[in-house]
Amino acid sequence: MRPDDFEQVKAVPLFAHLADQSLGLLLDGALLQHFPVGVNLIREGDRPDFLHVLLDGLVEIFTEQDDVEWGISLVSPVTTFILAAVISRQPYLSSARTLKESRILLIPAKHVHTVFDRDIELAQVMAGELAVAYRGVVKKLKGYVARSSAQRLANWILAEARSEASGTQIVLPFDRATLASHIGTTRENLSRNLAQLTHYGVRIRGRVIVIDRKDLLEAFARPQRFIDDPNS
């Protein structure tokens, strides 16, 4: 890693409280790389050689069963992904690929193990990352068992709109097949769901989704604190 890259990584919140000695050992042999859209980063069943830290971009975690892909989660910066496999020294339970051009730090897994055993600061950071990932999985599972696919779509739209300046319009960051897999439905059913949401104040314009009546959409979606609030 180049000296300027090292200084850039030191500023990442994940490593902000690590001692220089621990950070130096952690990043010895690390790679800071740029990946275009559609690059497979991790393959289900492989054992981890690196810990991946997403600094910029968007990564999809997914699985393939009987030649059908299903989305598990969407990873936004700045965070690790599939950390549990690295810490447990077990094979990956899912795959990962870039959905946007991404900048990713690859830290050798053996260095993560060494510093994890020595440095309580890193152990605390990793415990926090694992806790966030676990809670995310539980929230998604709750959404699957308690909601229809149309309600899951409605809540996804509301969540995306909250991150936009307008709060009432979003542009799909990926194709509809990817969106369908991440709300647990098929592309055909997604089209029916989108049509259904037009009765609840939503307009569809290609990849642009406009919320004209947020009150109607929220009444249909029924967002819940312990599923939809990112701070819960």
Side-chain angles (χ1 to χ4, degrees), residues 70-177:
W70 293 99
I72 295 174
S73 64
L74 299 170
V75 181
S76 300
V78 173
T79 187
T80 61
F81 53 93
I82 318 189
L83 171 62
V86 176
I87 296 299
S88 66
R89 298 173 170 85
Q90 294 293 316
Y92 292 118
L93 298 179
S94 51
S95 301
R97 65 176 164 228
T98 54
L99 289 181
K100 291 182 179 179
E101 183 177 344
S102 299
R103 188 165 61 105
I104 298 174
L105 177 66
L106 292 87
I107 303 174
K110 62 181 180 180
H111 294 169
V112 175
H113 300 152
T114 299
V115 180
F116 184 87
D117 291 339
R118 297 179 181 177
D119 194 309
I120 190 171
E121 295 288 352
L122 180 66
Q124 289 174 335
V125 167
M126 296 304 176
E129 289 281 294
L130 289 169
V132 169
Y134 170 77
R135 291 178 69 83
V137 170
V138 172
K139 288 179 180 181
K140 192 160 189 175
L141 179 60
K142 289 170 67 176
Y144 279 165
V145 300
R147 292 170 170 166
S148 67
S149 59
Q151 286 178 309
R152 295 196 294 272
L153 174 61
N155 278 287
W156 183 85
I157 292 172
L158 288 168
E160 288 294 301
R162 283 195 295 271
S163 66
E164 297 296 330
S166 69
T168 59
Q169 179 175 303
I170 65 171
V171 178
L172 290 179
F174 33 68
D175 59 42
R176 291 191 180 187

